[in-house]
Amino acid sequence: MSSGGFAFTLLQVIFEMSESFDLIVVGAGPGGYVAAIRASQLGMKVAVVEREQKLGGTCLRVGCIPSKALLETSELYEQSQKHFAERGLIVQGVTLDIAKMMSHKDSVVSTLDGGIQGLLKKNKVERFFGHGKLKGGGVVEVSGNSPATITGKKILIATGSVSSSLPGIQPDGDRIGTSTEAIAWPEVPEHLVVIGAGVIGLELGTVWRRLGAKVTVLEYLPRILPGVDEQVANEAKKIFEKQGLTFKLGTKVTSVTAAGKTCTITMEGAEPITCDRVLVAVGRKPCTDNLGLAEAGVQTDKRGFIQVNAGYQTTAAGVYAVGDVIGGAMLAHKAEEEGIACVEKMATGHGHINYGTIPAVIYTSPEIASTGANEDALKAAGIKYKAGRFSFAANGRARAAGHTDGFVKVLADEATDRVLGVHIIGAHAGELIHEAAVAMEFGASAEDIARCCHAHPTLSEAVKEAAMAVDKRAIHS
Ligand code: NAD
């Protein structure tokens, strides 16, 4: 017998002996666990393999959710310190109990993890605890505390992403941290240096500033928040500087070292900076370590992202992939939508996702949110557009709440008036953006939004006024 024939027979034996499923999902983050539940709803027998005890992936364990718990608490702290008195609320002696703040954050994570465990059970999704590795031929080997070999008619990879670094910068899990460490520091840094003025750098940098740290943000590019509408990013920079953040743009960091409690950062063409904590937030890369991709015939691109077709099929028959690991916007909700679309296509031949209307939210204070194209993208594509802008300073509810920073901008096609993009910087922008996303999903024009009655007094009126401003008929500006 040839060795190829032997391998084939061995796989067949494993296939026949091991527990088998219609679908094995590797990775229980937002892409994976949501796909597993939907697949089960569609009648598949589903297994999920996850190597972390807690489900929910980076987003729930060390990302979106814990950072939002800290964001909300730090915001309350700053409000009580700096803004209550302006409204006649005299509170004295507000102090920070960081251990309590962290335990509140941890309890939020645990509760939500318990929720996902319950949802998987309710949907009869079997959970395997360990590292999943593709062996080819539908076989997944689970190693770790509860080793197992399972087989699936189909396999869905949803293993997400991990923090990336730069030459000369080696996070040490302590003083030189990534977002994972920066949501668990036991004391407020005196001076935090953030490398990267992207989403993570600004979300977590502003949390620690609100809690009392001096924060310096080093950014390679001449602007903050690459990818965000430039006018919005410029406004954000002004607001964050007013709040006390220091930016050093056009700064190339060359090395970071830590000795005891002191970190030293060297840069090209500038004096070194010392501080007591460093947050490295220079992007994330696909998480595919020891996944058996080559063995299973799954190809990646040169940056390591798994290549898929429109049905999320990889180059290996029966193997699919969704979420951060396939590239595109690294957003939990994008991964969820892909997970659902992927398994719906498997089961029914149809699945829907509109990449043109996926909202993106940056959870700073104020929030920054967008959906659709920004002005740079429209200019680059040669699309003629009209822009309408409305400031929260002219919105009654924003005035009453003391949230007057920021604006809404609606971009609409010059000829058809169809909404092409909406960009918001301001309080609750992350909630306000969904009106725009739904409108765009239904192919609305700016006039459609402008003619919808919006309740008064609400922040949402700023969206309506910005839509009216597209045709220069905003009332309150
Ligand atoms: P990012 O890509 O948003 O920002 C990284 C920043 O680091 C960029 O501005 C880049 O120019 C800068 N940079 C790179 N090299 C540098 C150097 N040598 N010196 C100084 N600056 C340098 O990456 P991130 O903030 O790490 O986030 C990772 C991913 O996670 C992103 O895709 C982000 O969208 C996603 N994420 C999203 C959310 C959210 O939607 N709210 C939250 C967290 C993370």
Side-chain angles (χ1 to χ4, degrees), residues 20-24 43-47 151-155 346:
S20 60
F21 295 88
D22 294 319
L23 176 68
I24 299 172
M44 297 185 216
K45 184 184 175 198
V46 186
T151 58
K153 288 182 194 146
K154 292 190 166 76
I155 294 170
M346 280 179 198

Side-chain angles (χ1 to χ4, degrees), residues 63-64 67-68 161 163-164 166 169 194-203 218-221 223-226 248 251-254 280-284 324 328-333 359-363:
C64 330
S67 65
K68 253 82 283 167
S161 61
S163 298
S164 56
L166 295 163
I169 306 177
V194 176
I195 304 176
V199 182
I200 293 179
L202 292 183
E203 286 187 356
L218 310 179
E219 167 59 49
Y220 180 67
L221 297 174
R223 57 163 287 178
I224 69 167
L225 295 171
K248 290 187 189 297
T251 301
K252 187 171 177 195
V253 174
T254 48
V280 182
V282 293
R284 296 178 62 84
D324 284 10
M330 287 188 169
L331 300 170
H333 46 282
V361 181
I362 302 169
Y363 299 90

Side-chain angles (χ1 to χ4, degrees), residues 85-104:
E86 295 161 9
R87 316 259 200 108
L89 298 176
I90 310 304
V91 290
Q92 276 161 354
V94 177
T95 55
L96 182 63
D97 179 344
I98 227 173
K100 176 89 181 162
M101 180 179 85
M102 292 297 172
S103 75
H104 164 261

Side-chain angles (χ1 to χ4, degrees), residues 141-338:
E141 185 183 78
V142 183
S143 57
N145 289 350
S146 321
T149 302
I150 53 179
T151 58
K153 288 182 194 146
K154 292 190 166 76
I155 294 170
L156 172 57
I157 302 170
T159 47
S161 61
V162 289
S163 298
S164 56
S165 193
L166 295 163
I169 306 177
Q170 191 53 52
D172 63 3
D174 181 21
R175 293 278 147 191
I176 308 170
T178 64
S179 53
T180 302
E181 290 78 35
I183 57 164
W185 284 328
E187 79 287 326
V188 179
E190 266 177 44
H191 183 191
L192 166 64
V193 170
V194 176
I195 304 176
V199 182
I200 293 179
L202 292 183
E203 286 187 356
L204 290 176
T206 55
V207 162
W208 289 106
R209 184 206 54 74
R210 283 194 286 277
L211 295 174
K214 171 184 172 188
V215 178
T216 306
V217 184
L218 310 179
E219 167 59 49
Y220 180 67
L221 297 174
R223 57 163 287 178
I224 69 167
L225 295 171
V228 169
D229 181 275
E230 200 173 349
Q231 206 176 27
V232 171
N234 288 340
E235 180 78 2
K237 181 168 174 279
K238 261 191 248 159
I239 295 171
F240 298 149
E241 280 174 333
K242 202 168 68 184
Q243 294 171 347
L245 226 60
T246 302
F247 289 99
K248 290 187 189 297
L249 304 183
T251 301
K252 187 171 177 195
V253 174
T254 48
S255 77
V256 182
T257 51
K261 289 187 176 178
T262 306
C263 308
T264 306
I265 297 123
T266 60
M267 292 150 285
E268 265 180 22
E271 287 299 304
I273 305 181
T274 56
C275 62
D276 56 332
R277 295 267 183 202
V278 176
L279 165 59
V280 182
V282 293
R284 296 178 62 84
K285 59 183 179 190
C287 176
T288 53
D289 62 299
N290 194 25
L291 201 53
L293 293 185
E295 218 170 325
V298 176
Q299 273 173 21
T300 55
D301 67 16
K302 47 180 192 297
R303 294 168 63 210
F305 291 104
I306 295 178
Q307 291 179 321
V308 293
N309 65 15
Y312 304 101
Q313 283 177 306
T314 70
T315 46
V319 182
Y320 298 72
V322 296
D324 284 10
V325 81
I326 64 168
M330 287 188 169
L331 300 170
H333 46 282
K334 173 252 191 197
E336 289 181 24
E337 295 298 315
E338 286 179 345

